[in-house]
Amino acid sequence: MALRFTSEQRLDDGVLEREFTLGEIPGTLWTPESATPAPLILMAHNNGLPKREPRLVARARHYAAYGYVVATIDAAGCGDRPRSAADEQARADLGRAMQAGEPVDEILESLVGSLVEKAVPDWRTTLDALLELPEIGGPVGYSGWTAVGIRLAAVEPRLAAAGFFAGGYVPRAQREEACQVTLPLLLLLQWDDEGNPRRRALDLFDAFGSKEKTLHANVGGHVGTPWFEVEDGGRFYDRHLK
């Protein structure tokens, strides 16, 4: 399966932004201005939101300007990719339950668990193709969606470091897999996240098998992660990828 670039533009900060396709997988690659082969960061957004989501794009451009090649994709069932009838039903059930103030954990268990099972193979296929590119060299990091990141870190030995956002549902299977995650880890937690109990995030942090793991907690709701955490993330990746 060949990676094919479909568009490119040079951004104001010198970063080259290119859209690509890999079979049915659409993606975006941001490359720093420097021609030297650079480490790669895979960037996934929580629970299947699209690769063009503005907060993800802002983080990707920041890390690319910082000297990393950054890639994101719409994995199966995510973004604009087709969803199964079961996934659509789960999303509809989730919306109704949230509107009625009913418990949603079992619905999320089904929905997010299905997305993880489909997304991780697409991420591994993408990683295979990206590592063939001459502009990528050195270790690989991961940033973003915790549930996918746990599974990917558990099965993918090419990952060298990971930054996770605690503000997303993590299925039971991934909570049990957390002990298999042994790479250096940075977990970002919003202390007042409306839909994600902090106790669950703290228990997950305890469960990770990494000898080097760091928890950063900030007051505020789900989308309130301070921008300085992105800058601190750059220093985290520098320690482990450069």
Side-chain angles (χ1 to χ4, degrees), residues 75-92:
C78 301
D80 295 328
R81 296 279 299 278
R83 295 172 182 152
S84 69
D87 287 350
E88 290 286 17
Q89 184 62 53
R91 287 180 184 274

Side-chain angles (χ1 to χ4, degrees), residues 191-203:
W191 202 245
D192 309 299
D193 194 328
E194 307 83 26
N196 298 286
R198 72 176 71 128
R199 182 72 259 167
R200 186 180 291 166
L202 296 173
D203 289 344

